[in-house]
Amino acid sequence: MREETRGHQYDFLNCQHPSGPVPKLPATSPPATVPADSSKPIELEQIKAKTEQQEGPTPTPMPEDKRIGYALVGLGHLTLNQILPAFGACTKSKVVALVSGSPEKMQKVATQYGIKKESCYSYADYDKLRDNQDVQAIYIVLPNGMHAEYTIRGAQAGKHILCEKPMANSVAECQAMIDACKKADRKLMIAYRIQYEPHNKMVREMVQKEQFGKVKSIIANNGQNSDNPKHWRFNKALAGGGSLPDVGLYCLNTIRFVLAEEPTEVMGYVHSTPNDPRFKEVEEQVNWLMKFPSGVQASCATSYGHHDDKSYRVLADTGWIKMDPAFPYTGLKLETSQAQGTENQIIQHNIADKDHFATEMDHFSECLLANKVPFTPGEEGLQDQKIMEAIYQSARDGKPVKLESVTKKDAFRGEEPAA
Ligand code: NAD
């Protein structure tokens, strides 16, 4: 094996270089602790001072044949760009089947990810997943208006369901999904990735521990300039609504998660630019207020018509917490401010990113393996849907809408994931 290096010939096999022999270095394994239990991480030797930011434990993937097998339904942007690559970071989940309306696309994806030809299904053949023993869970990544049907049919086919947000188009659909999964004795989780993500989890912890005293206000925004009026996101039957159920939902769901409380009243305003072809059926912009039992007031905005902004700020007695950006897949930033004597101490918390989709899928897999209630079950999606319907109603009626009082904390969530 020869390679030209800056005009010199280097013989890799014999380690000969025109300037003389290259020394051979001994190949060794540095000391490492290797626990017999495969779920415990291998501990490598220390290379950073204890005072430096540490790497965290090495991953502990389950053996391939023990992981939960997923069928992905819908091969659009989210599936191709985020979910499929995320399986590489999963420790308890693997992709084993696909459902799509495009045989060419599906065949290509199956080849890329090593999925068996016989585990690729058209929408017409969806119910045949029942006979595929490799599949324990179905991840529904279809337009919102199709979530209810595919959840119900998937549960009836004997599979557990992870469904993308928003859960569905209406409270009635959400309830039907919960009922169908209960009847089939299958688990249902809504893919609220933010509730499994370390930055937002840290905000929740700071708020719950009252690190900056009592929270008074939260201001949240999630908006983007969307295009292509022909896309299903601008079709009411397929999308359910416009910016509110698609991106505004992040503000609503994250605030509920951070506070662990439920709003008692909402006031909403809806606006769409007249004659904009995108907003013939669904709304462009929603601004809304929420009142919580603890006295926290939240002010939220969402839009399909302004430049990308995804952020929120928690304002408390003695400090503030800022997440900007708060909701993208990577690059989240958490900053806090607190006065220290004559100084205003502003801290940027440098938290390592975790793949949001791998984390949420592994949580669902853990729930199936250990028979636990998912942290974000169907009831969590139903509650968001109830609140969104109240926001629309308030905007239509021009007055605040009261919501059913919920006093229990984390009323609709399952067991909190360990890490
Ligand atoms: P997309 O348009 O890129 O993909 C949708 C897929 O559904 C496509 O493969 C399309 O072929 C298929 N489909 C089947 N029947 C269809 C029909 N009648 N009309 C249109 N498409 C049809 O959409 P996406 O961005 O991947 O979103 C899919 C789901 O994922 C939505 O519910 C969305 O809210 C959710 N989503 C979640 C996140 C998140 O961060 N959790 C991000 C983006 C999207």
Side-chain angles (χ1 to χ4, degrees), residues 275-290:
N275 305 321
D276 187 320
R278 296 173 295 177
F279 309 120
K280 283 188 187 143
E281 295 192 19
V282 301
E283 82 281 353
E284 175 179 2
Q285 179 171 324
V286 184
N287 292 57
W288 75 99
L289 301 170
M290 295 190 281

Side-chain angles (χ1 to χ4, degrees), residues 148 156 286 403:
Q156 286 169 350
V286 184
L403 292 153

Side-chain angles (χ1 to χ4, degrees), residues 41-44 46 48 52-59 352 354:
I42 294 170
E43 283 174 42
L44 299 173
Q46 181 87 18
K48 273 186 182 172
E52 297 300 301
Q53 187 181 18
Q54 301 296 307
E55 277 182 317
T58 56
K354 270 192 181 173

Side-chain angles (χ1 to χ4, degrees), residues 111-137:
T111 309
Q112 289 168 335
Y113 288 92
I115 295 159
K116 294 182 207 158
K117 212 172 169 196
E118 58 271 27
S119 291
C120 293
Y121 301 84
S122 65
Y123 291 115
D125 284 344
Y126 177 65
D127 305 287
K128 292 188 181 157
L129 275 172
R130 174 194 308 276
D131 304 320
N132 191 331
Q133 298 311 310
D134 293 345
V135 176
Q136 287 87 49

Side-chain angles (χ1 to χ4, degrees), residues 140 142-152 163-178 188 190-192 232 236-241 244-246 249 378 380-386 388-389 392:
I140 294 165
L142 290 168
N144 312 338
M146 301 171 75
H147 290 182
E149 180 193 340
Y150 280 79
T151 294
I152 293 168
C163 179
E164 259 310 327
K165 48 56 57 184
M167 183 169 175
N169 281 3
S170 67
V171 165
E173 283 183 358
C174 294
Q175 193 60 59
M177 292 159 79
I178 293 171
L188 171 60
I190 309 306
Y192 285 121
W232 63 262
K236 178 102 165 116
L238 286 168
L244 180 61
D246 189 20
L249 176 56
E380 175 74 359
L382 169 65
Q383 175 66 359
D384 276 336
Q385 189 61 40
K386 284 183 180 171
M388 288 193 291
E389 288 188 8
Y392 283 130

Side-chain angles (χ1 to χ4, degrees), residues 74-79 100-101 105 123 139-144 146-147 164-166 191 193 231-233 238 245-246 250 329 357 360:
L75 302 180
H77 289 82
L78 189 68
T79 302
S100 169
K105 188 167 48 169
Y123 291 115
Y139 192 167
I140 294 165
V141 203
L142 290 168
N144 312 338
M146 301 171 75
H147 290 182
E164 259 310 327
K165 48 56 57 184
R193 60 185 169 83
H231 192 259
W232 63 262
R233 279 185 165 79
L238 286 168
D246 189 20
Y250 284 85
Y329 306 133
F357 296 91
E360 77 181 9

